[in-house]
Amino acid sequence: MPCIALGRFDDSFSSGSIKAYIAEFISTLLFVFAGVGSAIAYNKLTADAALDPAGLVAVAVCHGLALFVAVAIAANISGGHVNPAVTFGLALGGQITIITGLFYWIAQVLGAIAASYLLKFVTGGLAVPIHGVAAGVGATEGVVMEIIITFALVYTVFATAVDPKKGTLGTIAPIAIGFIVGANILAAGPFSGGSMNPARSFGPAVASGNFAGNWIYWVGPLVGGGLAGLTYSNVFMNYDHAPLVSEF
């Protein structure tokens, strides 16, 4: 059974930890810039893009590709979490200390906010789209949808990137993670918005000044990510001790 470790502040401010936070900031910024940017671009090029199936595919593909790259470029530095829900799942699974995880959260959220404001600036002040549940979908349904799809994401992270038994499978972890995000957006986008990432939803909310329903994209992903971390680490992984950081 994994051990959830609180950690120490001196460890969380080591040179390696600072580099990890910077890597998470940069990767999250690049991911959100590309992902949210794809939605802005499609809205600019087409009318009523939110209801256009081609728009959904374009946004899903962009998010999948962007996350693949964002995870890959940070994997050897910070583990390439790029998502508070992933960090939370890894903390509950004994892969990162609570204190270090909190600083990961800060870096991820700041990266998402910076990306959203950069998009607002470089697009000449175009609206930054936020996540929201579709008409006819209630908050409860939205939360459940986000729990399910984030569970799938974090479970994939554990299976392909964290599990010591992964072997050569680890080399395709960023691709698998990008693919599951793209697939989940195709499935959940028309209903809950398909976030799976509190930072990805929070950054645009800050830039737009609209926090309506934003809590859905914290509660759902954190519950789903936490459940995946607890499930995979307790059922499929064995430990003699808990690692301090994820081994991507």
Side-chain angles (χ1 to χ4, degrees):
M1 180 176 179
C3 177
I4 300 174
L6 177 62
R8 303 184 319 194
F9 276 101
D10 55 344
D11 290 335
S12 296
F13 284 101
S14 66
S15 174
S17 293
I18 298 298
K19 290 178 181 178
Y21 307 148
I22 295 172
E24 285 294 306
F25 172 85
I26 293 172
S27 280
T28 307
L29 187 155
L30 296 177
F31 167 64
V32 173
F33 189 90
V36 178
S38 69
I40 294 175
Y42 205 86
N43 283 333
K44 181 177 176 61
L45 294 172
T46 62
D48 206 11
L51 301 178
D52 188 343
L56 176 63
V57 173
V59 170
V61 169
C62 184
H63 276 78
L65 292 175
L67 186 60
F68 160 42
V69 174
V71 170
I73 63 176
N76 294 329
I77 305 169
S78 64
H81 299 190
V82 201
N83 184 341
V86 171
T87 300
F88 186 61
L90 290 171
L92 293 187
Q95 296 297 310
I96 186 171
T97 65
I98 299 296
I99 293 176
T100 298
L102 289 175
F103 285 110
Y104 268 50
W105 276 23
I106 294 171
Q108 292 156 356
V109 167
L110 289 178
I113 293 172
S116 299
Y117 275 110
L118 283 171
L119 280 167
K120 195 170 185 178
F121 173 72
V122 300
T123 60
L126 289 179
V128 178
I130 64 170
H131 278 125
V133 297
V137 177
T140 301
E141 291 87 347
V143 168
V144 173
M145 178 70 84
E146 289 295 320
I147 289 173
I148 295 169
I149 60 178
T150 310
F151 181 95
L153 167 59
V154 177
Y155 192 91
T156 300
V157 170
F158 267 89
T160 63
V162 177
D163 193 331
K165 304 184 297 297
K166 63 183 181 295
T168 57
L169 185 63
T171 59
I172 68 161
I175 300 176
I177 293 167
F179 277 7
I180 191 61
V181 164
N184 282 341
I185 290 174
L186 289 174
F191 303 101
S192 70
S195 172
M196 298 163 275
N197 186 331
R200 162 64 181 82
S201 296
F202 188 73
V206 172
S208 68
N210 186 351
F211 294 90
N214 190 254
W215 65 271
I216 294 172
Y217 305 104
W218 284 92
V219 174
L222 291 180
V223 171
L227 287 174
L230 290 171
T231 299
Y232 198 99
S233 61
N234 283 289
V235 176
F236 301 111
M237 293 172 62
N238 295 313
Y239 300 92
D240 292 323
H241 58 84
L244 292 179
V245 295
S246 58
E247 300 175 353
F248 275 52

